[in-house]
């Protein structure tokens, strides 16, 4: 659906290009979430939003999306493996939020293609 598309490759490159941001110290967020926790939370929120927006999705489509999201989270955890347990900084949270929105955008486009 999306993991085999060029947009996903660009997203991984974007994250890799910003990896240095995850290796720098910064102001940690008040909620003390780790990089890994916030990554999973932000992606989950966007996928829930995606599924509620697209009521025309059938159960098999939702299952495909969930499987792909699991793969995406795994890929991102691999890229960020050395910093997953670190407390997330404000700057890192912004990148994570942006990445989650971009993931949703990839799925929005894929869903639109399904019903064209």
């Amino acid at each position: 659906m999306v993991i085999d598309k060029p947009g996903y490759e660009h997203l991984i490159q974007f994250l890799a290009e910003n990896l240095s941001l995850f290796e720098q110290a910064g102001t940690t967020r008040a909620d003390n979430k780790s990089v890994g926790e916030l990554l999973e939370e932000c992606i989950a929120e966007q996928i829930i939003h995606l599924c509620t927006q697209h009521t025309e999705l059938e159960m098999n489509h939702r299952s495909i999306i969930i499987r792909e999201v699991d793969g995406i989270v795994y890929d991102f955890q691999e890229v960020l493996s050395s910093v997953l347990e670190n407390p997330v900084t404000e700057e890192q949270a912004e990148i994570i939020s942006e990445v989650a929105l971009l993931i949703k955008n990839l799925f929005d486009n894929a869903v639109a293609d399904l019903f064209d």
Side-chain angles (χ1 to χ4, degrees), residues 58-71:
E58 297 175 8
M59 188 57 68
N60 62 328
H61 297 131
R62 293 172 193 262
S63 295
I64 292 168
I65 290 169
I66 297 303
R67 277 195 303 275
E68 289 214 2
V69 168
D70 284 344

Side-chain angles (χ1 to χ4, degrees), residues 1 4 18 34 39 45 55 58 62 65 70 73 80 90 97 102 104 116:
M1 186 171 251
D4 60 345
N18 287 288
S34 70
L39 178 69
E45 286 175 3
T55 56
E58 297 175 8
R62 293 172 193 262
I65 290 169
D70 284 344
V73 169
L80 298 171
E90 293 294 339
S97 180
L102 291 169
K104 181 186 178 292
D116 279 345

Side-chain angles (χ1 to χ4, degrees), residues 7-90:
Y8 181 66
E9 291 175 25
H10 295 301
L11 190 57
I12 294 289
Q13 287 175 341
F14 173 76
L15 187 61
E17 289 168 2
N18 287 288
L19 191 57
S20 62
L21 178 67
F22 289 91
E23 296 167 348
Q24 299 171 3
T27 306
T28 57
R29 291 173 32 130
D31 60 14
N32 281 334
K33 290 185 180 180
S34 70
V35 169
E37 288 172 324
L38 187 65
L39 178 69
E40 289 178 12
E41 182 180 291
C42 286
I43 292 173
E45 286 175 3
Q46 291 303 319
I47 297 307
I48 290 168
H49 191 61
L50 172 89
C51 290
T52 56
Q53 276 184 318
H54 297 283
T55 56
E56 71 277 13
L57 286 172
E58 297 175 8
M59 188 57 68
N60 62 328
H61 297 131
R62 293 172 193 262
S63 295
I64 292 168
I65 290 169
I66 297 303
R67 277 195 303 275
E68 289 214 2
V69 168
D70 284 344
I72 290 168
V73 169
Y74 177 80
D75 288 347
F76 283 30
Q77 287 173 334
E78 287 292 308
V79 172
L80 298 171
S81 62
S82 63
V83 297
L84 281 177
E85 299 302 319
N86 294 353
V88 70
T89 67
E90 293 294 339

